[in-house]
Amino acid sequence: DGASPAIAGWEGSYSELFVGKGQGDNAVEFGGDPVTQFLIENDVFAGRLDVRRRGMIAGLGAGYNWMWSSMLLGVEGDAAWSGVVGSSSRTTDFPFFFNTTTEQAIDWVATLRGRAGVLATENLLIYGTGGLAAGRTRLDFALTNTVVGCPDQCLSENSAGVSLGYALGAGYEYALAPGLRWKTDYLFTDLGTRTTTIVNPNDPTLFYEGTASFQTHMVRSGIVVSF
């Protein structure tokens, strides 16, 4: 078929162990029923909180490469624990003093991606990657009247679950020895949005809800062992 013989050390299956850091700057936008919306517009309740998520990640992966001359195509999957979390709060001005506090977190993230790359040298692979992503996202927030205090004027709620999205990125691998490579990559993941709603216990037609997106930038490095 005209394809060149596979380059030794790159074609075949492999596993990897990696660590890295992740970050995302996503705002929580607040809304609600018409009464709550009126209160937001008149700065009785907060309408937006900017959240800076930061944290470490660590995980495992595996994949398979096919080689044609210096070109590489592959498939790769990985799963990682995530400590990427952030919080923010705001108290509205006199005479209301309502405090809104929120926390966003990604507890774990997994991807299944294709890879396409080229050998810049016999020992250096440069590639792009993209595919599916999944992760457990969490959004918590609380509303407190700081004048009256708890428990009379404290309401909180949280929402958590598995979210689906996509991943895009690029990276390089460098062959350290036969069957052993160093890998560094950048991944952008978008796990969509999550909404958390606080319902007034005395009147369920009144509600205050926050919606946040979960977009994360990750840089990861680790060791690849090929078989």
Side-chain angles (χ1 to χ4, degrees):
D1 56 11
S4 299
I7 296 176
W10 290 100
E11 184 164 273
S13 59
Y14 62 88
S15 61
E16 62 177 313
L17 173 67
F18 60 84
V19 296
K21 299 184 72 173
Q23 68 177 59
D25 297 335
N26 300 125
V28 182
E29 303 283 352
F30 294 97
D33 62 273
V35 173
T36 300
Q37 195 62 45
F38 174 82
L39 296 176
I40 291 172
E41 292 170 358
N42 288 275
D43 206 32
V44 178
F45 295 166
R48 174 189 172 104
L49 288 175
D50 293 319
V51 179
R52 292 167 55 88
R53 289 181 291 109
R54 302 288 187 273
M56 299 294 296
I57 57 174
L60 300 169
Y64 195 94
N65 295 325
W66 293 269
M67 295 295 303
W68 291 270
S69 185
S70 62
M71 304 297 294
L72 177 146
L73 291 178
V75 61
E76 179 172 273
D78 56 52
W81 164 86
S82 167
V84 181
V85 61
S87 62
S88 182
S89 67
R90 176 176 177 248
T91 301
T92 53
D93 298 330
F94 176 86
F96 306 110
F97 301 112
F98 278 98
N99 174 265
T100 301
T101 300
T102 187
E103 181 176 278
Q104 285 179 268
I106 297 178
D107 298 323
W108 59 263
V109 61
T111 70
L112 179 62
R113 295 170 284 109
R115 296 204 306 168
V118 62
L119 290 178
T121 71
E122 289 186 358
N123 294 322
L124 177 63
L125 170 72
I126 299 173
Y127 65 89
T129 183
L132 303 176
R136 187 179 190 271
T137 59
R138 176 167 51 85
L139 175 62
D140 308 337
F141 82 96
L143 177 67
T144 304
N145 186 315
T146 59
V147 176
V148 177
C150 297
D152 295 329
Q153 293 293 323
C154 291
L155 298 172
S156 63
E157 192 57 78
N158 66 81
S159 174
V162 176
S163 300
L164 302 178
Y166 66 89
L168 295 172
Y172 76 89
E173 288 185 34
Y174 187 79
L176 302 173
L180 184 65
R181 303 193 291 269
W182 176 262
K183 178 180 179 181
T184 295
D185 65 13
Y186 161 80
L187 275 185
F188 169 80
T189 60
D190 188 337
L191 295 177
T193 62
R194 181 165 294 279
T195 298
T196 301
T197 304
I198 292 177
V199 178
N200 188 318
N202 299 314
D203 185 350
T205 65
L206 302 177
F207 61 93
Y208 183 42
E209 66 181 13
T211 299
S213 59
F214 288 84
Q215 298 171 334
T216 306
H217 304 270
M218 297 182 289
V219 176
R220 316 177 306 172
S221 293
I223 293 293
V224 176
V225 179
S226 62
F227 306 104

